[in-house]
Amino acid sequence: MQSALVFGQPDGKASRTIHIIEDAVTRPMSDEVSVEWLAAPINPLDLIVVAGKYPTKPKYCINGEFIAGFDGVARVLTCGDEVESLKPGDLVVPNTLGLGTWRTRAVLKAEDLLGIPTITDVTVAALLKSAILPAYFLVEDMRTLKPGDWIIQNAGTGAISQLVVQIAHLRGVRVISVVRDREFMKSPALQDADIVLRESELPAIDTLKGKRIVLGLDSVFGTSAAKLADCISNHGTFVNYGQLSGGGPSASMALSHRLLFFDRLTFRSFRGSEQVAARSKEELGDLCAWLAQKIEQGILRRPEVDVLAWNPNEEEFKRKVCDALDRAQDGTAIGSRKTVFRIRADEI
């Protein structure tokens, strides 16, 4: 049997529609594998899917209800006769959207999974696609960076932001993390940042004077984005990769003529899927192997996240799931800790 978090009718408030269900697990066909999910995060994309506002729908259902969750890490249990790319015991992450990761077991097409090297901490492994790879792409792909350069980013306590700091330091690049005024400045999530500033302090001319801030990473948009752009050095690059402030497609940010004409900033958008598509499967595999090595060596560390143990038979678990969904969906949750379902209790 498998237990899963499913939803029927789309709802803008995920906790109203997500619920737990149990169902039998089928045997894999010749091109499929049977897996057990080990851990899976709650990402903003998951909530957009539950709200019915994302074009890609979940691929799997139980009794006509969609299985939620687009990201996570699983272990292969058995393989169909024609599967050659995977074997029992392999760790895998989704290689496509909509696999329904918020569940204990699944039978999936082998081609829809990407094998990854062993990562002992499955909570970290579950963040590979949704946090670790995006952080790497933001540092590596958005602009050529040199030792001594600086990055400035908002939502400084978010999982991606924490990983941006760690990966940037591997390149000799330093990072300024910006947080909202009400956030705790000595949060463990900020311990690696070279400078931590509150939004109200920006543009912090005295603090930032003389620093070569060549890249700004914005996941909030709106007023926060405008303040971030004001801190970037001439010929720098501003990248937006999210909209935690809300507002939808009609939201806007103030953009002065100085930034475009005199400072000559470059403005870019970021989609992790495009950066993945720009790499061959072999290149992506090599990258995952390199990142896994850094994780196992302790060079890249787990970001500060909340871990929720999977125990669907307890009423307390159901309440905690609703609380985690509400917290993730709260419009004031910018920079809040990501929740990861720990579906299996054992390490690899």
Side-chain angles (χ1 to χ4, degrees):
M1 295 290 287
Q2 65 165 316
S3 59
L5 289 171
V6 301
F7 66 98
Q9 295 299 318
D11 196 313
K13 186 175 175 63
S15 61
R16 278 197 300 246
T17 188
I18 290 282
H19 59 282
I20 301 167
I21 196 170
E22 291 192 344
D23 190 44
V25 181
T26 60
R27 295 177 62 85
M29 302 290 285
S30 61
D31 61 344
E32 295 178 326
V33 296
S34 172
V35 303
E36 58 177 352
W37 289 103
L38 304 175
I42 298 176
N43 292 322
L45 176 60
D46 297 315
L47 304 178
I48 297 171
V49 171
V50 174
K53 296 181 178 179
Y54 195 72
T56 302
K57 307 300 180 189
K59 291 185 175 184
Y60 296 92
C61 295
I62 298 176
N63 298 333
E65 296 187 293
F66 294 116
I67 303 173
F70 271 27
D71 197 17
V73 63
R75 178 164 44 206
V76 175
L77 298 176
T78 60
C79 300
D81 295 339
E82 297 178 7
V83 175
E84 297 180 351
S85 59
L86 299 170
K87 64 183 185 302
D90 283 353
L91 286 190
V92 292
V93 295
N95 198 33
T96 188
L97 297 175
L99 296 189
T101 59
W102 295 359
R103 53 173 158 168
T104 54
R105 298 280 295 274
V107 172
L108 306 167
K109 295 283 188 183
E111 65 182 12
D112 288 341
L113 297 167
L114 176 68
I116 64 170
T118 296
I119 297 175
T120 306
D121 185 345
V122 297
T123 303
V124 177
L127 298 172
L128 182 64
K129 289 290 292 291
S130 60
I132 300 172
L133 280 173
Y136 175 86
F137 294 147
L138 285 165
V139 173
E140 183 69 22
D141 293 359
M142 294 296 98
R143 174 187 178 101
T144 300
L145 295 169
K146 301 182 291 294
D149 286 342
W150 286 79
I151 296 171
I152 187 168
Q153 62 178 352
N154 51 21
T157 55
I160 291 178
S161 296
Q162 294 176 59
L163 289 157
V164 161
V165 175
Q166 295 184 46
I167 293 168
H169 285 171
L170 296 179
R171 300 282 306 277
V173 175
R174 290 174 283 185
V175 182
I176 303 151
S177 288
V178 179
V179 298
R180 291 171 301 166
D181 287 7
R182 68 177 181 81
E183 289 190 72
F184 181 48
M185 295 285 282
K186 296 191 180 298
S187 166
L190 297 167
Q191 64 182 347
D192 294 323
D194 298 282
I195 296 175
V196 179
L197 294 171
R198 292 187 172 94
E199 277 190 5
S200 62
E201 297 179 88
L202 298 183
I205 295 172
D206 291 338
T207 302
L208 303 184
K209 185 177 180 180
K211 293 176 174 57
R212 196 167 65 240
I213 305 173
V214 300
L215 180 61
L217 302 177
D218 164 52
S219 61
V220 180
F221 206 59
T223 302
S224 179
K227 288 187 173 185
L228 208 68
D230 276 336
C231 300
I232 300 173
S233 302
N234 288 2
H235 301 280
T237 301
F238 174 98
V239 178
N240 172 263
Y241 68 99
Q243 193 191 37
L244 292 172
S245 60
S250 63
S252 62
M253 62 174 280
L255 188 61
S256 69
H257 187 239
R258 173 181 64 81
L259 296 178
L260 287 174
F261 187 79
F262 294 100
D263 293 352
R264 286 163 284 184
L265 298 190
T266 298
F267 288 82
R268 300 188 61 178
S269 63
F270 171 89
R271 289 177 181 265
S273 57
E274 292 180 354
Q275 307 312 123
V276 169
R279 291 165 166 84
S280 68
K281 192 168 185 177
E282 182 182 31
E283 289 173 331
L284 190 60
D286 288 344
L287 174 56
C288 289
W290 181 80
L291 291 168
Q293 181 186 55
K294 298 302 179 188
I295 292 166
E296 290 301 286
Q297 292 172 343
I299 296 171
L300 288 180
R301 302 182 309 282
R302 180 207 288 190
E304 294 291 319
V305 296
D306 291 329
V307 178
L308 178 52
W310 189 275
N311 195 344
N313 296 321
E314 290 187 357
E315 284 297 322
E316 183 71 5
F317 174 72
K318 300 172 186 177
R319 182 190 64 77
K320 288 179 178 178
V321 169
C322 289
D323 288 348
L325 291 170
D326 287 342
R327 190 166 58 250
Q329 204 149 24
D330 185 352
T332 65
I334 297 171
S336 64
R337 289 159 65 110
K338 184 185 292 291
T339 296
V340 178
F341 293 120
R342 185 63 181 269
I343 301 170
R344 281 294 302 264
D346 57 319
E347 298 284 358
I348 298 301

